[in-house]
Amino acid sequence: MITLNNVSKWYGQFQVLTDCTTAVKKGEVVVVCGPSGSGKSTLIKTVNGLEPVQRGKIVVDGTVVTDKHTNLARLRSHVGMVFQHFELFAHLSIIENLTLAQVKVIGRSKEESRKKGQKLLERVGLTAHAEKYPAQLSGGQQQRVAIARALCMDPVAMLFDEPTSALDPEMINEVLDVMVELAHEGMTMMVVTHEMGFARKVANRVIFMDEGKIVEDSLKDAFFDTPQSPRAKEFLAKIL
Ligand code: ADP
Ligand code: MG
């Protein structure tokens, strides 16, 4: 579903990604972890073309993201992305947040979009909040709305960038629970997170990044039980 082949990227003179190669199969859940500044956010944003790369090839569901002729808006409409800071539209109600892109980007009727929005709100347990505005919801609720909003577009894959790291501790699980459910339903997911409980529960593989390189790309149990690189060992010792 997602392949990265020798992806390298520079911000000016600074090389942020070096020869990153990996693949995520349909239905697979891959957790990406590593120290702050190691390039996790940049890597995940390259997948839907939010960050252009200077070298290498990225393909998502048959679409060559790194081809300059690719319609990135179309690609992004079916690759869901959830960020640390929710990024809901503050001036729109929750249900409007869920319907906007359905109407504008994929041309669904308003009625159908609302129906879909309501169905997905129900799924994340927020039916009662449809007419509220983002600021009236807790962080955990806003993040669940952000996930529902992405799901409204029938994504072929979902990308998450530290979706729980801006949340108060008591709200982390309500968001992780939604993600675990998605994983169990077979959604293809790439998740940047330090929630190793989540990784242990649903990840197929764990990618560990350091200084812009993928230094470890292992099956989950292998990563936790026998990490290969000294940096990954050190990292695990700190957070487990
Ligand atoms: P992570 O998500 O692992 O913390 P990032 O991908 O955000 O890492 O950043 C990797 C490196 O790239 C960091 O050193 C960061 O300072 C740098 N960086 C990130 N975004 C930019 C940018 N827009 N311009 C220049 N440098 C950047
Ligand atoms: Mg980051």
Side-chain angles (χ1 to χ4, degrees), residues 1-5 7 20-24 47 57-61 63 65-66:
M1 184 61 74
I2 300 169
T3 62
L4 287 87
N5 233 309
V7 169
C20 293
T21 297
T22 190
V24 182
V47 172
K57 187 173 180 184
I58 301 168
V59 182
V60 177
D61 195 28
T63 301
V65 182
T66 41

Short mmCIF file of all heavy atoms in Angstrom, two decimals, residues 1-5 7 20-24 47 57-61 63 65-66:
data_model
loop_
_atom_site.label_atom_id
_atom_site.label_comp_id
_atom_site.label_asym_id
_atom_site.label_seq_id
_atom_site.Cartn_x
_atom_site.Cartn_y
_atom_site.Cartn_z
N MET A 1 0.82 -1.22 0.00
CA MET A 1 0.00 0.00 0.00
C MET A 1 0.85 1.26 0.00
O MET A 1 0.57 2.23 -0.69
CB MET A 1 -0.90 -0.03 1.25
CG MET A 1 -1.88 1.10 1.34
SD MET A 1 -3.05 1.15 0.00
CE MET A 1 -4.13 -0.20 0.39
N ILE A 2 1.94 1.22 0.79
CA ILE A 2 2.86 2.37 0.86
C ILE A 2 4.29 1.84 0.67
O ILE A 2 4.69 0.92 1.37
CB ILE A 2 2.79 3.05 2.24
CG1 ILE A 2 1.37 3.56 2.52
CG2 ILE A 2 3.81 4.19 2.34
CD1 ILE A 2 1.16 4.03 3.97
N THR A 3 5.02 2.41 -0.29
CA THR A 3 6.45 2.06 -0.37
C THR A 3 7.30 3.32 -0.44
O THR A 3 6.95 4.28 -1.12
CB THR A 3 6.80 1.18 -1.58
OG1 THR A 3 6.50 1.90 -2.78
CG2 THR A 3 6.03 -0.12 -1.61
N LEU A 4 8.38 3.30 0.31
CA LEU A 4 9.38 4.36 0.23
C LEU A 4 10.68 3.71 -0.20
O LEU A 4 11.09 2.69 0.38
CB LEU A 4 9.60 5.02 1.60
CG LEU A 4 8.49 5.95 2.10
CD1 LEU A 4 7.44 5.18 2.85
CD2 LEU A 4 9.08 7.02 2.99
N ASN A 5 11.28 4.30 -1.22
CA ASN A 5 12.49 3.74 -1.77
C ASN A 5 13.60 4.76 -1.78
O ASN A 5 13.55 5.73 -2.52
CB ASN A 5 12.21 3.28 -3.22
CG ASN A 5 12.61 1.86 -3.40
OD1 ASN A 5 13.75 1.50 -3.05
ND2 ASN A 5 11.70 1.05 -3.91
N VAL A 7 14.46 7.25 0.07
CA VAL A 7 13.99 8.63 0.17
C VAL A 7 14.99 9.49 0.96
O VAL A 7 15.36 9.15 2.08
CB VAL A 7 12.60 8.66 0.84
CG1 VAL A 7 12.20 10.09 1.19
CG2 VAL A 7 11.56 8.02 -0.08
N CYS A 20 15.81 6.55 3.17
CA CYS A 20 14.79 5.81 3.92
C CYS A 20 14.04 4.86 2.99
O CYS A 20 13.47 5.28 1.99
CB CYS A 20 13.81 6.77 4.58
SG CYS A 20 14.58 7.76 5.87
N THR A 21 14.07 3.59 3.32
CA THR A 21 13.40 2.58 2.52
C THR A 21 12.55 1.71 3.44
O THR A 21 13.05 1.19 4.45
CB THR A 21 14.43 1.69 1.79
OG1 THR A 21 15.17 2.50 0.87
CG2 THR A 21 13.74 0.56 1.02
N THR A 22 11.26 1.59 3.12
CA THR A 22 10.40 0.68 3.87
C THR A 22 9.12 0.46 3.07
O THR A 22 8.91 1.10 2.04
CB THR A 22 10.08 1.23 5.29
OG1 THR A 22 9.43 0.20 6.05
CG2 THR A 22 9.17 2.45 5.23
N ALA A 23 8.30 -0.45 3.53
CA ALA A 23 7.02 -0.69 2.86
C ALA A 23 5.99 -1.09 3.89
O ALA A 23 6.29 -1.75 4.87
CB ALA A 23 7.18 -1.79 1.81
N VAL A 24 4.77 -0.64 3.65
CA VAL A 24 3.66 -0.99 4.53
C VAL A 24 2.61 -1.71 3.69
O VAL A 24 2.12 -1.15 2.71
CB VAL A 24 3.04 0.27 5.18
CG1 VAL A 24 1.93 -0.11 6.14
CG2 VAL A 24 4.12 1.09 5.90
N VAL A 47 4.81 10.88 2.89
CA VAL A 47 3.97 9.82 2.34
C VAL A 47 2.77 10.38 1.58
O VAL A 47 2.37 9.84 0.55
CB VAL A 47 3.51 8.85 3.47
CG1 VAL A 47 2.49 7.85 2.95
CG2 VAL A 47 4.73 8.13 4.06
N LYS A 57 11.78 7.44 -4.22
CA LYS A 57 10.46 7.24 -4.81
C LYS A 57 9.48 6.81 -3.73
O LYS A 57 9.80 5.96 -2.89
CB LYS A 57 10.57 6.15 -5.89
CG LYS A 57 9.30 5.97 -6.68
CD LYS A 57 9.51 5.00 -7.83
CE LYS A 57 8.22 4.81 -8.63
NZ LYS A 57 8.36 3.83 -9.70
N ILE A 58 8.30 7.40 -3.76
CA ILE A 58 7.25 7.04 -2.81
C ILE A 58 6.00 6.69 -3.61
O ILE A 58 5.58 7.44 -4.50
CB ILE A 58 6.94 8.23 -1.87
CG1 ILE A 58 8.20 8.62 -1.09
CG2 ILE A 58 5.80 7.87 -0.91
CD1 ILE A 58 8.09 9.94 -0.36
N VAL A 59 5.44 5.52 -3.32
CA VAL A 59 4.22 5.10 -4.01
C VAL A 59 3.16 4.75 -2.96
O VAL A 59 3.46 4.04 -1.99
CB VAL A 59 4.48 3.86 -4.91
CG1 VAL A 59 3.22 3.47 -5.66
CG2 VAL A 59 5.61 4.13 -5.89
N VAL A 60 1.97 5.28 -3.13
CA VAL A 60 0.86 4.97 -2.22
C VAL A 60 -0.32 4.47 -3.03
O VAL A 60 -0.83 5.18 -3.90
CB VAL A 60 0.43 6.22 -1.41
CG1 VAL A 60 -0.76 5.90 -0.52
CG2 VAL A 60 1.59 6.74 -0.56
N ASP A 61 -0.71 3.25 -2.79
CA ASP A 61 -1.86 2.65 -3.48
C ASP A 61 -1.74 2.83 -5.00
O ASP A 61 -2.71 3.20 -5.67
CB ASP A 61 -3.15 3.29 -2.95
CG ASP A 61 -4.38 2.48 -3.34
OD1 ASP A 61 -4.27 1.25 -3.52
OD2 ASP A 61 -5.48 3.07 -3.49
N THR A 63 -0.23 5.13 -6.63
CA THR A 63 0.04 6.51 -7.06
C THR A 63 1.47 6.89 -6.71
O THR A 63 1.88 6.75 -5.55
CB THR A 63 -0.93 7.49 -6.36
OG1 THR A 63 -2.26 7.13 -6.68
CG2 THR A 63 -0.67 8.92 -6.79
N VAL A 65 3.76 9.27 -5.56
CA VAL A 65 3.69 10.57 -4.87
C VAL A 65 4.80 11.50 -5.34
O VAL A 65 4.63 12.71 -5.41
CB VAL A 65 3.79 10.35 -3.33
CG1 VAL A 65 3.68 11.66 -2.58
CG2 VAL A 65 2.75 9.35 -2.86
N THR A 66 5.95 10.90 -5.65
CA THR A 66 7.13 11.70 -6.00
C THR A 66 7.15 12.10 -7.48
O THR A 66 8.07 12.79 -7.91
CB THR A 66 8.41 10.91 -5.66
OG1 THR A 66 8.22 9.54 -6.04
CG2 THR A 66 8.69 10.97 -4.17
#
